[in-house]
CSV table of all heavy atoms in Angstrom, one decimal:
chain,number,residue,atom,x,y,z
A,70,LEU,N,28.5,-10.5,-83.3
A,70,LEU,CA,29.7,-10.3,-82.5
A,70,LEU,C,30.5,-11.6,-82.2
A,70,LEU,O,31.6,-11.5,-81.8
A,70,LEU,CB,29.2,-9.7,-81.1
A,70,LEU,CG,28.9,-8.2,-81.2
A,70,LEU,CD1,28.1,-7.7,-80.1
A,70,LEU,CD2,30.2,-7.3,-81.3
A,71,MET,N,29.9,-12.7,-82.4
A,71,MET,CA,30.6,-14.0,-82.3
A,71,MET,C,31.6,-14.2,-83.5
A,71,MET,O,32.5,-15.0,-83.4
A,71,MET,CB,29.6,-15.2,-82.3
A,71,MET,CG,28.7,-15.2,-81.1
A,71,MET,SD,27.6,-16.6,-81.2
A,71,MET,CE,26.6,-16.3,-79.7
A,72,HIS,N,31.4,-13.4,-84.5
A,72,HIS,CA,32.3,-13.5,-85.7
A,72,HIS,C,33.3,-12.3,-85.8
A,72,HIS,O,34.4,-12.5,-86.4
A,72,HIS,CB,31.5,-13.6,-87.0
A,72,HIS,CG,30.7,-14.9,-87.0
A,72,HIS,ND1,31.1,-16.0,-87.7
A,72,HIS,CD2,29.5,-15.2,-86.5
A,72,HIS,CE1,30.2,-16.9,-87.6
A,72,HIS,NE2,29.2,-16.5,-86.9
A,73,VAL,N,32.9,-11.1,-85.4
A,73,VAL,CA,33.7,-9.9,-85.5
A,73,VAL,C,33.4,-9.0,-84.3
A,73,VAL,O,32.2,-8.7,-84.0
A,73,VAL,CB,33.5,-9.2,-86.9
A,73,VAL,CG1,32.1,-8.8,-87.1
A,73,VAL,CG2,34.4,-8.0,-87.0
A,74,SER,N,34.5,-8.6,-83.6
A,74,SER,CA,34.3,-7.8,-82.4
A,74,SER,C,35.6,-7.1,-82.1
A,74,SER,O,36.7,-7.6,-82.4
A,74,SER,CB,33.9,-8.8,-81.3
A,74,SER,OG,33.8,-8.1,-80.0
A,75,PRO,N,35.6,-5.9,-81.5
A,75,PRO,CA,34.4,-5.2,-81.0
A,75,PRO,C,33.7,-4.4,-82.1
A,75,PRO,O,34.3,-4.2,-83.2
A,75,PRO,CB,34.9,-4.3,-79.9
A,75,PRO,CG,36.3,-4.0,-80.4
A,75,PRO,CD,36.8,-5.2,-81.1
A,76,LEU,N,32.5,-3.9,-81.9
A,76,LEU,CA,31.8,-3.1,-82.8
A,76,LEU,C,31.2,-1.9,-82.2
A,76,LEU,O,30.9,-1.9,-81.0
A,76,LEU,CB,30.6,-4.0,-83.5
A,76,LEU,CG,31.0,-5.2,-84.3
A,76,LEU,CD1,29.8,-6.0,-84.7
A,76,LEU,CD2,31.8,-4.8,-85.5
A,77,ASP,N,31.0,-0.9,-83.0
A,77,ASP,CA,30.2,0.3,-82.5
A,77,ASP,C,28.8,0.1,-83.1
A,77,ASP,O,28.6,0.2,-84.4
A,77,ASP,CB,30.9,1.6,-83.0
A,77,ASP,CG,32.2,1.8,-82.4
A,77,ASP,OD1,32.4,1.3,-81.2
A,77,ASP,OD2,33.1,2.4,-83.0
A,78,ILE,N,27.8,-0.2,-82.3
A,78,ILE,CA,26.5,-0.6,-82.7
A,78,ILE,C,25.5,0.5,-82.3
A,78,ILE,O,25.4,0.9,-81.2
A,78,ILE,CB,26.1,-1.9,-82.1
A,78,ILE,CG1,27.1,-3.0,-82.5
A,78,ILE,CG2,24.7,-2.3,-82.5
A,78,ILE,CD1,26.8,-4.4,-81.9
A,79,THR,N,24.7,0.9,-83.3
A,79,THR,CA,23.6,1.8,-83.1
A,79,THR,C,22.3,1.0,-83.2
A,79,THR,O,22.1,0.4,-84.2
A,79,THR,CB,23.5,3.0,-84.1
A,79,THR,OG1,24.8,3.8,-83.9
A,79,THR,CG2,22.4,3.9,-83.8
A,80,LEU,N,21.5,1.0,-82.1
A,80,LEU,CA,20.2,0.3,-82.1
A,80,LEU,C,19.1,1.2,-82.2
A,80,LEU,O,19.0,2.2,-81.5
A,80,LEU,CB,20.1,-0.5,-80.8
A,80,LEU,CG,21.3,-1.5,-80.4
A,80,LEU,CD1,21.1,-2.0,-79.0
A,80,LEU,CD2,21.3,-2.7,-81.4
A,81,VAL,N,18.1,0.9,-83.0
A,81,VAL,CA,16.9,1.6,-83.2
A,81,VAL,C,15.7,0.7,-83.0
A,81,VAL,O,15.6,-0.4,-83.7
A,81,VAL,CB,16.8,2.4,-84.5
A,81,VAL,CG1,15.5,3.2,-84.7
A,81,VAL,CG2,18.0,3.3,-84.7
A,82,ASP,N,14.7,1.1,-82.2
A,82,ASP,CA,13.5,0.3,-82.1
A,82,ASP,C,12.4,1.2,-81.5
A,82,ASP,O,12.7,2.1,-80.8
A,82,ASP,CB,13.7,-0.9,-81.1
A,82,ASP,CG,12.7,-2.0,-81.4
A,82,ASP,OD1,11.6,-2.0,-80.8
A,82,ASP,OD2,13.1,-3.0,-82.1
A,83,LEU,N,11.2,0.8,-81.9
A,83,LEU,CA,10.0,1.5,-81.3
A,83,LEU,C,9.9,1.3,-79.8
A,83,LEU,O,9.4,2.2,-79.1
A,83,LEU,CB,8.7,1.1,-82.0
A,83,LEU,CG,8.6,1.4,-83.5
A,83,LEU,CD1,7.3,0.8,-84.0
A,83,LEU,CD2,8.5,2.9,-83.7
A,84,SER,N,10.3,0.1,-79.4
A,84,SER,CA,10.0,-0.3,-78.0
A,84,SER,C,11.2,0.0,-77.1
A,84,SER,O,12.3,-0.5,-77.3
A,84,SER,CB,9.7,-1.8,-78.0
A,84,SER,OG,9.7,-2.3,-76.6
A,85,LYS,N,11.0,0.8,-76.0
A,85,LYS,CA,12.0,1.1,-75.1
A,85,LYS,C,12.5,-0.1,-74.3
A,85,LYS,O,13.7,-0.4,-74.1
A,85,LYS,CB,11.6,2.2,-74.1
A,85,LYS,CG,12.7,2.7,-73.2
A,85,LYS,CD,12.2,3.8,-72.3
A,85,LYS,CE,13.4,4.3,-71.3
A,85,LYS,NZ,12.9,5.4,-70.5
A,86,PRO,N,11.5,-1.0,-73.8
A,86,PRO,CA,12.0,-2.2,-73.2
A,86,PRO,C,12.8,-3.1,-74.0
A,86,PRO,O,13.7,-3.8,-73.6
A,86,PRO,CB,10.6,-2.8,-72.7
A,86,PRO,CG,9.7,-1.7,-72.6
A,86,PRO,CD,10.1,-0.8,-73.7
A,87,MET,N,12.5,-3.2,-75.3
A,87,MET,CA,13.3,-4.0,-76.2
A,87,MET,C,14.7,-3.4,-76.3
A,87,MET,O,15.7,-4.2,-76.3
A,87,MET,CB,12.7,-4.0,-77.6
A,87,MET,CG,11.5,-4.9,-77.8
A,87,MET,SD,12.0,-6.7,-77.9
A,87,MET,CE,10.4,-7.4,-78.3
A,88,LEU,N,14.8,-2.1,-76.5
A,88,LEU,CA,16.1,-1.5,-76.5
A,88,LEU,C,17.0,-1.7,-75.3
A,88,LEU,O,18.1,-2.0,-75.3
A,88,LEU,CB,16.0,0.0,-76.7
A,88,LEU,CG,15.7,0.5,-78.1
A,88,LEU,CD1,15.3,2.0,-78.1
A,88,LEU,CD2,16.9,0.3,-79.1
A,89,GLU,N,16.3,-1.6,-74.1
A,89,GLU,CA,17.0,-1.9,-72.9
A,89,GLU,C,17.5,-3.3,-72.8
A,89,GLU,O,18.7,-3.5,-72.3
A,89,GLU,CB,16.1,-1.5,-71.7
A,89,GLU,CG,15.8,0.0,-71.6
A,89,GLU,CD,14.7,0.3,-70.6
A,89,GLU,OE1,14.0,-0.6,-70.1
A,89,GLU,OE2,14.6,1.5,-70.2
A,90,LYS,N,16.7,-4.2,-73.2
A,90,LYS,CA,17.1,-5.6,-73.2
A,90,LYS,C,18.2,-5.9,-74.2
A,90,LYS,O,19.2,-6.6,-73.9
A,90,LYS,CB,15.9,-6.5,-73.5
A,90,LYS,CG,16.3,-8.0,-73.6
A,90,LYS,CD,16.9,-8.6,-72.3
A,90,LYS,CE,15.9,-8.8,-71.2
A,90,LYS,NZ,16.4,-9.5,-70.0
A,91,ALA,N,18.1,-5.3,-75.4
A,91,ALA,CA,19.2,-5.5,-76.4
A,91,ALA,C,20.5,-4.9,-75.9
A,91,ALA,O,21.6,-5.5,-76.0
A,91,ALA,CB,18.8,-4.8,-77.7
A,92,LYS,N,20.4,-3.7,-75.3
A,92,LYS,CA,21.7,-3.1,-74.8
A,92,LYS,C,22.3,-4.0,-73.7
A,92,LYS,O,23.5,-4.2,-73.7
A,92,LYS,CB,21.4,-1.7,-74.2
A,92,LYS,CG,22.6,-1.0,-73.7
A,92,LYS,CD,22.3,0.4,-73.3
A,92,LYS,CE,23.6,1.2,-72.8
A,92,LYS,NZ,23.3,2.6,-72.4
A,93,GLU,N,21.5,-4.5,-72.8
A,93,GLU,CA,22.0,-5.3,-71.7
A,93,GLU,C,22.7,-6.6,-72.3
A,93,GLU,O,23.8,-6.9,-71.8
A,93,GLU,CB,20.8,-5.7,-70.8
A,93,GLU,CG,21.2,-6.8,-69.8
A,93,GLU,CD,19.9,-7.3,-69.1
A,93,GLU,OE1,18.9,-6.6,-68.9
A,93,GLU,OE2,19.9,-8.6,-68.9
A,94,ARG,N,22.1,-7.2,-73.2
A,94,ARG,CA,22.6,-8.4,-73.8
A,94,ARG,C,23.9,-8.2,-74.6
A,94,ARG,O,24.8,-9.0,-74.5
A,94,ARG,CB,21.5,-9.2,-74.6
A,94,ARG,CG,20.3,-9.6,-73.8
A,94,ARG,CD,19.2,-10.2,-74.7
A,94,ARG,NE,19.6,-11.5,-75.2
A,94,ARG,CZ,19.3,-11.9,-76.4
A,94,ARG,NH1,18.7,-11.1,-77.3
A,94,ARG,NH2,19.6,-13.1,-76.8
A,95,ILE,N,23.8,-7.1,-75.4
A,95,ILE,CA,25.0,-6.9,-76.3
A,95,ILE,C,26.2,-6.4,-75.5
A,95,ILE,O,27.3,-6.7,-75.8
A,95,ILE,CB,24.6,-5.8,-77.4
A,95,ILE,CG1,23.5,-6.4,-78.3
A,95,ILE,CG2,25.8,-5.4,-78.2
A,95,ILE,CD1,22.8,-5.4,-79.2
A,96,THR,N,25.9,-5.6,-74.5
A,96,THR,CA,27.0,-5.1,-73.6
A,96,THR,C,27.9,-6.2,-73.1
A,96,THR,O,29.1,-6.1,-72.9
A,96,THR,CB,26.5,-4.2,-72.5
A,96,THR,OG1,25.8,-3.1,-73.1
A,96,THR,CG2,27.6,-3.7,-71.6
A,97,ALA,N,27.2,-7.3,-72.7
A,97,ALA,CA,27.9,-8.4,-72.1
A,97,ALA,C,28.9,-9.1,-73.0
A,97,ALA,O,29.8,-9.8,-72.6
A,97,ALA,CB,26.9,-9.5,-71.6
A,98,VAL,N,28.8,-8.9,-74.4
A,98,VAL,CA,29.7,-9.6,-75.3
A,98,VAL,C,30.4,-8.6,-76.2
A,98,VAL,O,31.3,-9.1,-76.9
A,98,VAL,CB,28.9,-10.6,-76.2
A,98,VAL,CG1,28.3,-11.7,-75.4
A,98,VAL,CG2,27.7,-9.9,-77.0
A,99,ASN,N,30.1,-7.3,-76.1
A,99,ASN,CA,30.8,-6.4,-77.0
A,99,ASN,C,31.9,-5.6,-76.3
A,99,ASN,O,31.8,-4.4,-76.1
A,99,ASN,CB,29.7,-5.4,-77.6
A,99,ASN,CG,30.3,-4.5,-78.7
A,99,ASN,OD1,31.2,-4.9,-79.4
A,99,ASN,ND2,29.6,-3.3,-78.8
A,100,LYS,N,32.9,-6.3,-75.8
A,100,LYS,CA,33.9,-5.7,-75.0
A,100,LYS,C,34.8,-4.8,-75.9
A,100,LYS,O,35.3,-5.2,-76.9
A,100,LYS,CB,34.8,-6.8,-74.4
A,100,LYS,CG,34.1,-7.8,-73.6
A,100,LYS,CD,33.3,-7.2,-72.4
A,100,LYS,CE,32.6,-8.3,-71.6
A,100,LYS,NZ,31.8,-7.7,-70.5
A,101,GLY,N,34.9,-3.5,-75.5
A,101,GLY,CA,35.7,-2.6,-76.2
A,101,GLY,C,34.9,-1.8,-77.3
A,101,GLY,O,35.4,-0.9,-77.9
A,102,GLY,N,33.6,-2.2,-77.5
A,102,GLY,CA,32.8,-1.5,-78.5
A,102,GLY,C,31.8,-0.6,-77.8
A,102,GLY,O,31.8,-0.5,-76.6
A,103,THR,N,31.1,0.2,-78.6
A,103,THR,CA,30.1,1.1,-78.1
A,103,THR,C,28.7,0.7,-78.5
A,103,THR,O,28.5,0.0,-79.5
A,103,THR,CB,30.4,2.5,-78.5
A,103,THR,OG1,30.2,2.6,-80.0
A,103,THR,CG2,31.8,3.0,-78.2
A,104,ILE,N,27.7,1.1,-77.7
A,104,ILE,CA,26.3,0.9,-78.0
A,104,ILE,C,25.6,2.2,-77.9
A,104,ILE,O,25.6,2.8,-76.8
A,104,ILE,CB,25.7,-0.2,-77.1
A,104,ILE,CG1,26.5,-1.5,-77.2
A,104,ILE,CG2,24.3,-0.5,-77.5
A,104,ILE,CD1,26.1,-2.5,-76.2
A,105,HIS,N,24.8,2.6,-78.9
A,105,HIS,CA,24.1,3.8,-78.9
A,105,HIS,C,22.6,3.4,-79.2
A,105,HIS,O,22.3,2.8,-80.2
A,105,HIS,CB,24.6,4.8,-79.9
A,105,HIS,CG,23.9,6.1,-80.0
A,105,HIS,ND1,23.6,6.8,-78.8
A,105,HIS,CD2,23.4,6.8,-81.0
A,105,HIS,CE1,22.9,7.9,-79.2
A,105,HIS,NE2,22.8,7.9,-80.5
A,106,CYS,N,21.7,3.8,-78.3
A,106,CYS,CA,20.3,3.4,-78.4
A,106,CYS,C,19.4,4.6,-78.8
A,106,CYS,O,19.5,5.6,-78.2
A,106,CYS,CB,19.8,2.7,-77.2
A,106,CYS,SG,20.6,1.2,-76.7
A,107,LEU,N,18.5,4.4,-79.7
A,107,LEU,CA,17.6,5.4,-80.1
A,107,LEU,C,16.2,4.8,-80.2
A,107,LEU,O,15.9,3.9,-81.0
A,107,LEU,CB,17.9,6.0,-81.5
A,107,LEU,CG,19.2,6.8,-81.6
A,107,LEU,CD1,19.6,7.0,-83.1
A,107,LEU,CD2,19.1,8.1,-80.9
Side-chain angles (χ1 to χ4, degrees):
L70 284 161
M71 294 180 185
H72 294 264
V73 56
S74 179
L76 295 174
D77 295 331
I78 301 174
T79 299
L80 303 171
V81 179
D82 203 278
L83 293 174
S84 169
K85 185 177 180 181
M87 282 286 190
L88 280 171
E89 291 172 346
K90 176 59 74 172
K92 183 176 181 180
E93 173 193 321
R94 296 173 73 217
I95 294 167
T96 298
V98 295
N99 190 25
K100 306 301 182 184
T103 66
I104 303 170
H105 182 47
C106 296
L107 293 168

